[in-house]
Structures are given as C-alpha cells and as structure tokens.
C-alpha cells in the first residue's frame, strides 16, 4: 500500500510539471496576440519616404513625405505575423500536431487569396507590396489579418489563455485612455518635448518646435493617426468591456471596467467621432437584447452605469448636441436637400467650355506676336458682353448668365495663361502646349486635364456625412471594373478620379489627395474586388449567425460565453463603423485578433455543449 501511494505521488508530481510546461508553452504561443492588441496601437515614429505618386499629373512632383503613425505599425505587425507563421509551422510539422480547420475559414481564405491575386496582377503591384502614404495597409498586412484570426482560434486552448490575453489587453487600453484624457484636457503628451523625442530621430531634436500634430485644440487622436479612428477604436472596445462588466461578480474588477468605460467615453467625446456614437448606439440595442437577463440583476451596478451616463450627458452636452445636429443635418440632406453648385463642369479641349448655372461659356486664348486675344462666347457663338480694365486687362462679364465672372491673361512659369475667377475662386488654364489644347493648373503647380467623374447613388447628395457622399458617389462607379479582381492592396488613391477637379473644388477637396474611400466595404471592393467583399461578408455573417445561435438565450455561465458574446457585440459595432470608416493598421489588427478569439470562444462553447450532451 505504501509503495503504491508513493508511486501515485510521483505520477502526480510528473503531471503537475508537465501541465506547467504546457502552460508556459501556450503563454509563448499567445504572446503575439498580446503584442498586436496592446503594443501595436501605441507605436509612433517618424518615417521619411517617397510616396511613389510624383509621376501622376494630379499629384505634386515632389514625392517626399513624412509619416509618424502608420509605417512602423505596419512593420511591427508584419514581424509579428512572421512569428505567428513560424509557430504554426512548428506546431504542424515539428510537433506533428493536427491542426483544426472550420468551414468558416473557407470564405476568409478566399478573401485573402483574392486580395493577393489582385495585388499580384495590379497595374501598381509595388504600392500593394509596400503600402501607400496615409494608409500603409499592404497585402502582407491584409494576409496577416487572415492569419491572425486562424492563429487566435488555433492556439487558444483554455479560459486561462483568454484571461492572460485580456489582462495585458486591458493594460494597453488603460495607457491609450490616459493619453486620450491628456489630449481631451489640452495636455497632449506628444506636444511636449519628451513626447516629441519619443517619435522623432535624434537628428531632429534641435527642431522639435517645428513638429506639431495639428488636430485642433483638445481633439483626441491618441496614437491612432486620425480622431475618426479613435471612434472606431472605442466602438470596438467599449461594448466588449461593458459586456464583461454586466457578467462580472467581483466588485474590484467591476470598478475597473467602469473606469475603462468612462475613460473610453471621454476619449470618444474628445475625438468628436459621429460614426463612433452611431456604432455604440447600435451596440447598445444589441447589448440590451443579449444581456436582458443581466442588466437589472445587479441593481447597484445598473444604477451606477445610468448615473455615469447622465453625468456624461450633462458634462458633455455641447459635444452630444453637436453630434445630434450633425445626424439631423445628414438626414435632411438625404430627404430634401440636394447639393447645388453654380459651377458644374469645365471641359479642357481646343477651347474651354465652362458650365455655369446651366449655361455654357466658351473661352479661347490666342497669341499673335505681342498681341493677346481672349474670346468669350456662348454655345451659339454669340460674343459675351464684358467690360475691360485697361490697367490689368481683366474682362468682367456683364451678361447676366455669367455675371461676376472675370477673365485675365497671366503668365505662369513663362507660359501664357488665362485666369478665370468664378465666385471668388481663381482657375488658371493654358493652351501653350504641343497639342494646342487647354490644361488646368492644379493646386500642386502641375498642368492637367479636367475630367468630370462618373457618379452614382449619392449624386446630388455629395454633402452627406461630412462630404463622404462625394467620395462614395465617385467610388461606386469604379466597382464595375473591379468585380473579380480589384486594383490591388493600397491602390485606391490611384483608382480615385482625382481629375474631377470641378467637384473636388466644390467639395473643398482641391488641396487634398483622396487616399481612402471612407468605407471599409468600398475599400475592399475597389482594392480586392467585389467578389472578395462577398467572401469577406460571408465570413462575418457566418460568425454572427454562430454567435446569435449560441448566445441569444442570454445565459453566460462560462468564461468562454462571457467573452464570446462581448466580443461579438464589439465586432458588430466595428462593422457598423466600417460603413463610414476604412480599415486601418491602427485599429484593424485589434479587431481581427478579437474576431479570432471570438471564434475560439464559440468553438469551445460548442465543444462544452457537445461534451455535456454526451455525458
């Protein structure tokens, strides 16, 4: 009996040691997820590069640009993905462990494959392989998103794994909140000397006063490049934390969750992200549906949450009122307020044909020896009445159809040009080129043709969603040329019709290069193809359906269920925010990691249900 007891003790010790070893091993495996979710969003460092766009007529001839928020996030993420790939190979081939593959990963794989093929066969593959200015979401990043989902699903084995990930994820969130609150109170850390030294090379430390991140006073951007991305970040994470709070039993942890929620709301208000508010409103509705059994179970927590929201509404009523007014304004635009512009077209051909208030003004410029002749006629060939200032040679049109328009001969870079002032805005053209046709002098100092872009769906509603209506209306027609394969990763800038100078000017985009469609779904459709968007949506719909089936009963009695349903609601809010925001290397990696964890939770819950049924 004694020897038997000793043998049992030795076996028990051996099992404990083995269990410890496996736990240590799995900690190593899930470390990449922690780095992506907690460290990546914080990365900022100055990067100088050539945009690769200087050869385009609508872009500046100087391609030198600076980036602080995006490039090194991309580098960091790709390195982490390579580590994950190594671990996958190690698990599958070195350890000889069988890997699992669910049907839900088929559309995800198709999405990644089509994105890759679109980039390989792109007219501009180099941009897709290295990433473009203002975005840096190369094909390697997109494939990394797909890898991240599968990796999280494959390596998360226990509830302790998820607790370990969330522990460090919460630390990262707290740092982000701290930075955001500093910015919201006008004490931006990155505006201080120490803050600037963290993201600039030492060779620039004698020029720190010239480095300014101008997002407006007390505007929250944290480390996410754009205040709108703060809205996306909050809409993804706040529902997750709120869900964990509603099912939390420990007071200390509940207070931590409440503090995080409060901090995230302050950041959202400081970011002034309308899309973030709308996404959270949708998340609130879904939260009430799924957590209906929990919301009023703990009356103290419920009253505390209500109290915080009332305090926030009172304290930030001006920001909330501004958001509400913006939403109402957008509704009015859709219902009855079409955009109306006096100038609707300029044709740069053998003559200039300017469409103004529905009438066409035809302008021609000729030079005979030392004499300059500018003619102005209507479409019937009738001369337009003008008055001339003999000192400046400015002709002011008196014809009521074009009243107020002035035309002046000018010289730009040794070229004879004609400057046409329309409603206070100068347009400069020249026909002193080999083909004898007119070219427009754009904001970047280059002469280019004006080509009116094809428009769809939001035509006449260009002002919708802070000008997104214009970008969407000019992006949707691009889809017909990108059905099976898209233009390639990070090539939206090339695809967008930047020569639509008239409407770009009408909408205030004449001084900007439009680098993104302000919609995750249009972004995928153009760059990876409409077919890839379908695969992308099938993947998410399958995930959502799985979550609804598992969690709709409102009973979250295991940690896998608690986390799984909370992630589901956060991802729904993220997808809603994607209607008016793009995928970005600042937030998307977190979203994809959470989706992978969510799928792992769903798998484990189904496994638990199956085992219980067998028992």
């Amino acid at each position: 009996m004694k020897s038997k007891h000793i043998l049992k003790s030795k076996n028990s010790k051996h099992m404990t040691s083995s269990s410890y070893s496996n736990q240590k091993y799995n900690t190593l495996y899930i470390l990449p997820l922690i780095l992506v979710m907690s460290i990546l969003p914080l990365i900022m460092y100055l990067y100088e590069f050539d945009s690769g766009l200087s050869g385009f007529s609508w872009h500046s001839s100087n391609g030198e640009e600076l980036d602080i928020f995006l490039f090194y996030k991309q580098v960091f993420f790709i390195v982490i993905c390579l580590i994950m790939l190594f671990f996958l190979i190690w698990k599958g081939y070195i350890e000889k462990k069988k890997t699992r593959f669910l049907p839900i990963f088929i559309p995800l794989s198709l999405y990644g494959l089509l994105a890759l093929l679109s980039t390989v066969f792109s007219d501009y593959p180099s941009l897709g392989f290295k990433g473009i200015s203002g975005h840096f979401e190369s094909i390697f990043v997109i494939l990394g998103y797909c890898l991240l989902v599968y990796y999280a699903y494959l390596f998360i084995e226990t509830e302790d794994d998820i607790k370990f990930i969330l522990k460090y994820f919460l630390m990262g969130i707290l740092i982000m909140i701290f930075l955001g609150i500093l910015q919201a109170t006008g004490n931006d850390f990155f505006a201080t000397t120490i803050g600037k030294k963290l993201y600039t090379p030492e060779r620039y430390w004698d020029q720190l006063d010239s480095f300014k991140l101008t997002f407006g006073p007390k505007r929250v951007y944290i480390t996410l490049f754009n205040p709108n991305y703060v809205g996306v970040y909050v809409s993804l994470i706040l529902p997750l934390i709120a869900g964990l709070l509603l099912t939390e039993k420990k007071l200390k942890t509940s207070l931590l969750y409440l503090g995080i929620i409060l901090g995230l709301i302050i950041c959202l208000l400081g970011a002034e992200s309308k899309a973030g508010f709308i996404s959270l409103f949708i998340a609130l509705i879904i939260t009430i549906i799924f957590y209906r059994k929990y919301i009023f179970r703990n009356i103290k927590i419920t009253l505390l949450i209500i109290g915080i929201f009332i305090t926030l509404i009172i304290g930030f009523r001006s920001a909330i009122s501004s958001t509400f007014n913006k939403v109402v304004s957008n509704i009015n635009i859709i219902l009855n307020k079409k955009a109306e512009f006096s100038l609707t077209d300029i044709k740069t051909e053998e003559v200039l044909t300017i469409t103004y208030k529905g009438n066409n003004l035809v302008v021609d410029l000729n030079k005979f020896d030392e004499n300059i002749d500018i003619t102005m006629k209507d479409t019937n060939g009738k001369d337009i009445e003008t008055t001339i200032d003999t000192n400046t040679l400015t002709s002011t049109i008196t014809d009521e159809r074009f009243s107020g328009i002035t035309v002046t001969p000018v010289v730009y870079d040794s070229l004879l040009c004609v400057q046409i002032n329309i409603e206070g805005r100068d347009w400069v053209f020249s026909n002193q080129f080999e083909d004898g046709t007119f070219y427009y002098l754009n904001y970047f100092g280059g002469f280019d043709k004006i080509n009116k872009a094809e428009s769809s769906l939001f035509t006449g509603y260009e002002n919708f969603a802070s000008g997104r209506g214009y970008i969407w209306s000019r992006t949707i027609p691009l889809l017909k040329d990108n059905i099976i394969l898209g233009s390639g990763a990070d090539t939206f800038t090339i695809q967008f019709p930047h020569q639509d100078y008239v409407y770009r000017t009408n909408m205030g985009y004449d001084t900007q290069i439009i680098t993104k469609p302000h919609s995750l779904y249009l972004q995928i459709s153009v760059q990876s193809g409409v077919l890839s968007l379908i695969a992308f949506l099938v993947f998410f719909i399958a995930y959502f359906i799985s979550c609804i089936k598992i969690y709709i009963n409102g009973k979250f009695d295991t940690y896998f269920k608690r986390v799984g349903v909370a992630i589901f609601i956060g991802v729904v809010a993220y997808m809603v925010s994607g209607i008016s925001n793009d995928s970005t290397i600042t937030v998307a990696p977190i979203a994809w990691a959470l989706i992978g964890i969510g799928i792992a939770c769903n798998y484990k819950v189904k496994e638990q249900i199956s085992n219980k049924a067998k028992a």
Side-chain angles (χ1 to χ4, degrees), residues 28-39:
L28 178 64
Y29 282 142
I30 62 180
L31 183 60
L33 297 174
I34 294 171
L35 293 175
V36 166
M37 297 169 69
S38 301
I39 303 300

Side-chain angles (χ1 to χ4, degrees), residues 191-209:
T192 66
T193 300
I194 296 175
K196 289 178 180 180
K197 285 184 176 180
L198 289 178
Y199 65 80
T200 56
E202 188 174 353
R203 65 181 180 274
Y204 289 119
W205 285 3
D206 60 341
Q207 308 171 38
L208 290 180
D209 289 342

